[in-house]
Amino acid sequence: MKSQYLLPTYARLPITLTRGKGMYVWDSEGNKYLDFFSGLAVDNLGHCPLVVTKALQDQTKKLLHVSNVFGIAEQGELAEKLVKLSGLHQVFFCNSGAEAVEACLKFARYHSLKVRESHCFEILVAENSFHGRTYGALSATMQKKYQAGFGPLLPGFKSVPFGDLEAMVKGVTDQTCAILVEPIQGEGGVRIPSSGYLPGLRRLCDEKKILLILDEVQTGMGRTGSLFAHQRYGIKPDLMALSKALGSGFPIGACLASQAVSESVEPGIHASTFGGNPLACRAALATLGIISKKTFIDRVATAGSFFLEGLKKIQKKHSLIGEARGMGFMLACELKEPVGNEIVGRCLERGLLINAIQGKVLRFVPPLIIKKREIIKGLDILAGVLEERDKERR
Ligand SMILES: Cc1ncc(COP(=O)(O)O)c(C=O)c1O
């Protein structure tokens, strides 16, 4: 790859991927890899799913792009589908996760300006969160390593420990307009709060008349064993950010809003040139056609448990692994030493793609179509790598 022409924002692995099909990708030298990375929780239907590539091919013959100044039939259809599946009221389309979060932040502040006597702009967020790299999303991202060097950030964000309901209760002031959290922290290390956390936040927001914003960019689209992670807790947010797997690799983001928030939105307050263009919407419609099926989602939950059991067995044998955790196919192993990148490299050499977070956590986010035999194959590779490492240290 001609990397000398690219700004060095990424610490890239030493392979160039050129082709993918289902659970596998191939590099420029023809080597094949089992993919437990999924383009970072994007390729939920595997690589190049036929329904999506066919929909895209069909749409390229009709219309690639028109402005949101005009009606876009595919966008209306996709919005209807998302509204029916989420129980929310209306949708704004954009192109990425950070943009979906930006839209949520803007609509939340604008809503508060419209419905409250004084302008409340403060948004409570969680420590260790990740919401994206644009200035608004970055200001809500409470990890020093992402924020360092970019100040001053947007004012009005206050953080409290993730999963701590009491801290959130104490954090709310008469300046607060919303709470923004991920149902499970992804980039923060696959951290799962207790089952009472999201319902507790919902109650708190209702009581204080503030908005609950859920960032489901990573947890959404079936990843955790329900279409949206919050659905398993029987609650609904006021605003929700989606992206990643929504377009199966075609860039698209969405901000879904409740009826109350929708009512405060007017023409001109937010926009995106490409947001919800016909191609992106066809990709998302085709994706949802499969992912929203109950049989598909239910299998994620059961097959995900099988994967987690496998990780726990590995954990028992290898002292390097402190904890194995996760939900559906959002899984992780906490390492007792910061050797995540080394493990990733060794797995890569043996034909398995995994990801390490902050060097300390191995993350497994395979395509949701993964079969038992592929779970076993990947876990065998991981166990082999750990055994090899143990032997070298004896
Ligand atoms: C929870 C969450 N929100 C937002 C984002 C930002 O998405 P994007 O990289 O598409 O801007 C990410 C990306 O990893 C994410 O995991």
Side-chain angles (χ1 to χ4, degrees):
M1 187 179 74
K2 293 173 177 164
S3 54
Q4 71 268 35
Y5 299 109
L6 296 166
L7 279 167
T9 54
Y10 302 100
R12 294 181 199 265
L13 290 162
I15 57 168
T16 299
L17 299 175
T18 53
R19 188 161 67 86
K21 190 162 174 38
M23 285 299 305
Y24 291 91
V25 282
W26 285 261
D27 69 15
S28 50
E29 322 244 288
N31 299 309
K32 183 180 177 184
Y33 302 88
L34 178 59
D35 190 1
F36 282 11
F37 196 134
S38 302
L40 245 175
V42 168
D43 305 305
N44 284 13
L45 293 182
H47 292 277
C48 302
L50 203 59
V51 283
V52 179
T53 54
K54 271 194 170 162
L56 284 169
Q57 276 164 6
D58 178 59
Q59 189 60 39
T60 57
K61 292 176 209 143
K62 292 183 184 162
L63 188 64
L64 294 183
H65 177 80
V66 284
S67 166
N68 276 305
V69 160
F70 305 99
I72 299 174
E74 296 78 11
Q75 205 181 102
E77 227 183 289
L78 177 58
E80 179 185 19
K81 201 147 202 185
L82 285 171
V83 160
K84 287 191 172 152
L85 289 166
S86 66
L88 289 165
H89 190 67
Q90 285 180 331
V91 187
F92 173 85
F93 288 108
C94 50
N95 312 286
S96 67
E99 281 178 71
V101 171
E102 291 290 339
C104 289
L105 299 175
K106 285 183 73 177
F107 292 139
R109 282 189 172 174
Y110 201 78
H111 173 77
S112 129
L113 179 70
K114 287 286 175 97
V115 301
R116 309 265 292 255
E117 280 133 39
S118 62
H119 184 30
C120 307
F121 56 85
E122 195 173 77
I123 296 175
L124 290 183
V125 294
E127 284 171 15
N128 212 28
S129 55
F130 185 85
H131 298 292
R133 307 294 195 121
T134 55
Y135 262 100
L138 183 64
S139 304
T141 291
M142 291 299 164
Q143 293 193 55
K144 279 204 179 80
K145 73 165 186 172
Y146 295 115
Q147 292 188 339
F150 296 112
L153 296 168
L154 201 64
F157 292 90
K158 194 164 87 181
S159 74
V160 301
F162 180 64
D164 186 340
L165 189 57
E166 270 316 295
M168 205 61 100
V169 171
K170 282 189 194 132
V172 175
T173 69
D174 52 10
Q175 285 298 293
T176 309
C177 71
I179 290 173
L180 162 66
V181 293
E182 300 151 82
I184 295 175
Q185 286 191 332
E187 302 311 296
V190 187
R191 313 268 164 209
I192 307 171
S194 73
S195 58
Y197 187 56
L198 288 187
L201 290 183
R202 181 65 273 173
R203 275 196 307 278
L204 173 62
C205 289
D206 290 343
E207 224 174 273
K208 301 284 181 185
K209 297 193 170 35
I210 59 178
L211 301 176
L212 178 61
I213 311 172
L214 292 182
D215 179 346
E216 293 244 20
V217 167
Q218 191 163 150
T219 53
M221 304 304 295
R223 175 59 53 194
T224 69
S226 47
L227 185 60
F228 308 119
H230 68 263
Q231 289 173 326
R232 72 169 60 214
Y233 303 104
I235 61 138
K236 256 195 308 191
D238 301 293
L239 282 157
M240 170 165 68
L242 291 180
S243 185
K244 285 201 186 272
L246 180 57
S248 285
F250 199 96
I252 180 167
C255 163
L256 279 67
S258 66
Q259 182 162 4
V261 176
S262 303
E263 281 166 5
S264 61
V265 175
E266 301 148 21
I269 70 160
H270 197 45
S272 163
T273 297
F274 290 120
N277 94 353
L279 268 178
C281 291
R282 284 295 298 274
L285 278 164
T287 304
L288 273 172
I290 294 184
I291 287 190
S292 64
K293 283 195 182 123
K294 190 174 174 328
T295 45
F296 185 90
I297 303 267
D298 287 350
R299 202 199 73 92
V300 173
T302 49
S305 301
F306 175 76
F307 195 138
L308 183 57
E309 283 313 306
L311 285 177
K312 286 187 173 162
K313 279 184 199 150
I314 292 178
Q315 179 214 348
K316 282 195 188 121
K317 282 200 193 145
H318 298 279
S319 57
L320 177 65
I321 314 259
E323 188 195 19
R325 57 176 177 261
M327 202 179 265
F329 283 123
M330 189 165 175
L331 299 158
C333 282
E334 186 89 32
L335 301 177
K336 288 187 192 154
E337 296 168 50
V339 292
N341 294 338
E342 180 202 322
I343 306 291
V344 166
R346 288 181 185 237
C347 285
L348 185 82
E349 282 167 16
R350 289 172 175 237
L352 174 68
L353 302 187
I354 61 167
N355 167 245
I357 306 169
Q358 298 158 11
K360 286 187 324 224
V361 177
L362 299 179
R363 174 169 42 180
F364 310 93
V365 282
L368 309 183
I369 57 164
I370 188 170
K371 300 274 190 312
K372 258 189 178 177
R373 63 171 184 275
E374 290 147 346
I375 296 175
I376 294 167
K377 185 174 173 185
L379 289 174
D380 281 350
I381 295 177
L382 176 67
V385 160
L386 294 171
E387 262 150 45
E388 178 185 77
R389 226 183 144 264
D390 286 351
K391 265 192 210 148
E392 286 167 13
R393 266 153 194 75
R394 263 181 226 138

